[in-house]
Amino acid sequence: MVREGWPIDPSDFVGDVVLDEVCPPGIDVARYLNYHEDPGGLSLAQAREANAGVQQVPVPLPDA
């Protein structure tokens, strides 16, 4: 589930984001307008569960 809306840049001065705040239970990804590393750019915060799901896909795929 994608978080609705665009929260204010939740990152600290080094770009770290508290995932439990940005992606609460039931939310897999959140978009936000970046003010630090890339002012005006769009960033995507992914919940840990979303990353874990992707990390379980073998690369290259067996049938490739």
Side-chain angles (χ1 to χ4, degrees), residues 31-57:
R31 301 166 292 207
Y32 62 91
L33 186 62
N34 195 311
Y35 292 131
H36 300 289
E37 298 91 16
D38 182 23
L42 297 177
S43 291
L44 184 69
Q46 294 180 281
R48 289 178 180 89
E49 295 80 15
N51 289 336
V54 173
Q55 290 174 348
Q56 296 174 10
V57 176

Side-chain angles (χ1 to χ4, degrees), residues 9-18 32 34-39:
D9 190 341
S11 62
D12 61 16
F13 70 99
V14 294
D16 292 339
V17 173
V18 179
Y32 62 91
N34 195 311
Y35 292 131
H36 300 289
E37 298 91 16
D38 182 23

